[in-house]
Amino acid sequence: MENAPDQPEENRSYEPEKSDPLKRATEKTRSFAEYSGIAFQMLGTIGAGVWVGMKIDDWQQTKSPIWTIILSLTAIGASLYLFIRQLTNK
């Protein structure tokens, strides 16, 4: 009995063909978009931390930008945490 056209043969590989240029381009584009999104998320988180720190320093009229430093370092830590968490979920 022959295999039906919709049933795979026993010796056939289940991996997608790597020679398909459209599939490779689609995977590269998806990967690029995914990592670009992560980069913009990091940039936004760090930028928000710096901006809020500057606003608090202006409001309290401090001589040194202590809140800017504290919140920017906190935002960097938070963005790195989110970055690592997103990479390990894949």
Side-chain angles (χ1 to χ4, degrees):
M1 177 175 175
E2 278 187 40
N3 287 340
D6 59 341
Q7 292 179 345
E9 294 179 11
E10 289 181 28
N11 296 332
R12 187 179 296 171
S13 173
Y14 292 108
E15 295 180 19
E17 292 183 26
K18 301 206 185 242
S19 62
D20 186 14
L22 181 61
K23 192 169 285 194
R24 282 188 308 199
T26 304
E27 289 173 3
K28 286 182 181 180
T29 304
R30 183 177 296 132
S31 171
F32 177 76
E34 182 178 337
Y35 291 121
S36 295
I38 292 173
F40 281 114
Q41 180 182 2
M42 290 179 73
L43 182 66
T45 303
I46 295 168
V50 170
W51 184 77
V52 170
M54 288 173 59
K55 291 297 178 183
I56 293 174
D57 282 334
D58 286 342
W59 174 63
Q60 290 187 346
Q61 298 175 353
T62 58
K63 291 182 181 179
S64 61
I66 190 72
W67 285 107
T68 304
I69 293 169
I70 290 171
L71 290 178
S72 63
L73 291 175
T74 303
I76 290 170
S79 65
L80 285 174
Y81 169 75
L82 291 172
F83 173 70
I84 292 169
R85 193 171 129 213
Q86 287 177 352
L87 286 182
T88 57
N89 284 341
K90 297 189 184 336

